[in-house]
Amino acid sequence: MSVPPQPPPPPHPAAPGLRAGTLTTADISFFVVSAAAPLTVMAGVAPIAIMLGGIGAPAGYLLAGITLTVFAVGFTTMSRHVGHGGGFYAYITRGLGRPAGMGAALLAMLGYNGMEIGVYGLLGSASQDTALALFGVEIPWLPVSLAGLVLIWYLGYRSIDFGAKVLGVLLVAETGILLLLAGGVLLDGGASGLTLDSFTPANVAVPGMAAVLACAFAAFTGFESTAIYRREACDPRRTIPRATFIAVAFLGLFYAFIVWTVIQAYGSDKVVQAATDDAGGLFFAAITTYVGGWAADLMHVLIVSSVIASLLAFHNAINRYTLSLTEEGLLPPVLGRIHPRHRSPYLAGAAQTAVGAVVVAGFALAGADPYTQLLLWVNTPGMIGLMALQLLAAAAVLCYFRRARHQEGVWRTVVAPVAAIALLGAALALVTANVELFSGAGTGTNIVLVSLVPAVFVLGVALALRLRRTRPEVYARFAAEPEGETPAAREPATR
């Protein structure tokens, strides 16, 4: 008796992908602005800018915002021509070639991991300060930092829209407390009347403005990560540019406004001395005077939530970079698995959390201070690495549009990228020259921290050249356009 032919097995279900079409312009803006941690930057760094640059400090934040807006012109124009979700490294590959693109990919991993992992030290120290200020008790920082690692892992494990809602709430809270401070100062008229002396040329063109600009550029770190969420964005060709401009405009104007109001709170003739005497307490004393002690207590709590928001934003960005590099064949395939229900790159998140735990525990075992060493030493190469990526991306935009056939205007494809290259190059030089402001370390340590950036980039270039010889198929498809994308321009194949 013959056996009837068996039907073919059903096809294996497609592996789940990221949750496409989920993030709105507002959602992406929340991710980007939250990464900058406005409350932490204002309360923790702005007093140093005032101390070093005087009452012209608000203008420094405006100048940094204008510079990054110029960069965003070319960056967002190119976002319409690049369908890849790899962020900076895809743009740099298009404009400068695959070796530079792979160097940028490793540099992005250093930059985003450095910016995120170091902040666990800030979470521990900020929680210590909050517990001491509110309850008069001293708590160890390490358990808080480790608990933060678990919390951020869980939030990243959940769906991206869940994370966006969490960030939205936290961001509204931290900006709200700063606006409450500003409102109190403005309603009271400040210490001696409201003035615009901060924006006069005599107060802007001072020797300390170089240090202010270095602090200001550092305060925008991570704003360009909008492009990383391309695959999850609604209508990415519109959403990504809008979110980028909204983020950089909000940060520039908000930072300048808040720093100006704090100067008004003390008076132009007294604020520098107040910042010098107690930089860490400058904002808390101001909000106590103009709003009340309860607002200062709330600010302590919201600084901790601001740090958590920044950690989550960077964690999500790292996970998506890791996913992209896994799909490129540069990282183990297991890291590219997507959770079937939450549609998140959950194993990439678990790996990133494990790396963070090792670094945090290593610093703790060495007896390092969570703020002056874990935060500052790990953040510094991360910040410089991301600024270097911005400069490379500006150069890539210029080179890309010189080769591609397109209908974009000269302002977007030549003038703005050239201006961005000059301005970002100057900004990177300022930050590097004033690196001790960010690291708090000696010359030898600073040389090591700064040298990590070019060393990682060169390592990525060397990896690309090796792959070109040993795994040409991986090299050839690096940063290739995903299937189904129809870029707005056509250009020769990347090198």
Side-chain angles (χ1 to χ4, degrees):
M1 182 176 177
S2 62
V3 178
Q6 298 297 313
H12 187 75
L18 296 175
R19 199 181 294 274
T22 298
L23 299 179
T24 65
T25 298
D27 292 332
I28 298 174
S29 300
F30 285 148
F31 276 109
V32 174
V33 176
S34 296
L39 176 55
T40 304
V41 165
M42 289 289 92
V45 181
I48 298 173
I50 294 171
M51 182 175 62
L52 296 173
I55 65 172
Y61 288 93
L62 281 181
L63 292 172
I66 291 169
T67 296
L68 295 172
T69 299
V70 172
F71 165 74
V73 170
F75 178 69
T76 56
T77 300
M78 194 167 174
S79 72
R80 298 198 295 266
H81 300 256
V82 178
H84 195 281
F88 268 151
Y89 80 78
Y91 291 68
I92 293 167
T93 299
R94 294 285 186 282
L96 303 180
R98 291 188 181 91
M102 288 194 192
L106 294 194
L107 196 53
M109 293 298 287
L110 170 72
Y112 283 103
N113 273 287
M115 291 301 297
E116 201 244 8
I117 294 172
V119 175
Y120 284 109
L122 178 58
L123 177 62
S125 64
S127 299
Q128 282 183 320
D129 293 342
T130 297
L132 188 61
L134 299 186
F135 309 111
V137 299
E138 295 186 3
I139 60 174
W141 69 268
L142 181 59
V144 175
S145 297
L146 294 177
L149 278 156
V150 174
L151 174 63
I152 296 304
W153 163 79
Y154 174 73
L155 293 174
Y157 167 80
R158 293 291 302 271
S159 63
I160 190 69
D161 50 331
F162 176 82
K165 290 181 176 66
V166 171
L167 286 179
V169 172
L170 297 180
L171 181 60
V172 168
E174 66 176 298
T175 55
I177 194 69
L178 288 171
L179 289 174
L180 184 64
L181 166 60
V185 173
L186 295 179
L187 289 174
D188 198 71
S192 53
L194 304 178
T195 73
L196 294 176
D197 292 348
S198 292
F199 304 99
T200 61
N203 288 318
V204 174
V206 296
M209 186 51 64
V212 174
L213 287 170
C215 294
F217 279 106
F220 287 80
T221 304
F223 88 94
E224 73 296 320
S225 61
T226 51
I228 299 172
Y229 300 102
R230 181 181 184 88
R231 285 191 279 181
E232 294 157 289
C234 303
D235 191 7
R237 289 187 182 178
R238 290 190 178 138
T239 304
I240 299 300
R242 287 174 183 170
T244 304
F245 281 113
I246 288 172
V248 72
F250 172 81
L251 289 173
L253 294 172
F254 187 72
Y255 286 153
F257 172 66
I258 295 299
V259 175
W260 174 77
T261 58
V262 168
I263 291 171
Q264 305 312 301
Y266 289 89
S268 298
D269 57 337
K270 296 179 180 178
V271 68
V272 174
Q273 188 60 50
T276 303
D277 292 342
D278 185 13
L282 191 74
F283 274 67
F284 295 101
I287 201 168
T288 299
T289 299
Y290 288 92
V291 182
W294 66 269
D297 292 342
L298 180 58
M299 182 177 280
H300 275 291
V301 174
L302 292 179
I303 281 181
V304 175
S305 68
S306 171
V307 173
I308 291 172
S310 178
L311 286 166
L312 177 58
F314 276 115
H315 180 71
N316 280 323
I318 294 163
N319 293 348
R320 279 143 188 85
Y321 257 112
T322 301
L323 175 63
S324 290
L325 294 180
T326 298
E327 294 169 345
E328 304 285 9
L330 300 185
L331 293 175
V334 67
L335 296 179
R337 291 183 184 173
I338 305 296
H339 194 277
R341 181 159 61 94
H342 298 307
R343 307 286 285 277
S344 62
Y346 69 110
L347 290 183
Q352 199 278 329
T353 300
V355 171
V358 169
V359 174
V360 169
F363 272 80
L365 289 173
D369 182 85
Y371 185 92
T372 60
Q373 292 173 309
L374 174 54
L375 170 67
L376 299 184
W377 290 8
V378 177
N379 261 195
T380 296
M383 174 189 65
I384 295 174
L386 292 183
M387 292 187 70
L389 283 174
Q390 292 173 1
L391 179 58
L392 287 169
V397 171
L398 180 65
C399 294
Y400 173 84
F401 284 113
R402 283 176 61 86
R403 295 185 293 111
R405 296 191 297 274
H406 61 87
Q407 296 181 335
E408 307 287 357
V410 174
W411 159 245
R412 292 177 173 274
T413 60
V414 179
V415 178
V418 168
I421 291 169
L423 293 170
L424 289 171
L428 184 58
L430 279 175
V431 169
T432 304
N434 293 276
V435 68
E436 68 279 356
L437 291 177
F438 308 101
S439 70
T443 302
T445 301
N446 287 332
I447 290 174
V448 172
L449 296 178
V450 173
S451 298
L452 280 173
V453 174
V456 169
F457 180 77
V458 170
L459 178 63
V461 172
L463 172 64
L465 298 178
R466 182 173 181 274
L467 287 175
R468 188 165 64 183
R469 294 192 311 270
T470 61
R471 300 175 66 192
E473 71 286 353
V474 173
Y475 181 83
R477 69 169 184 264
F478 181 77
E481 284 294 308
E483 294 182 10
E485 288 285 345
T486 54
R490 293 289 182 268
E491 79 282 359
T494 51
R495 299 178 294 280

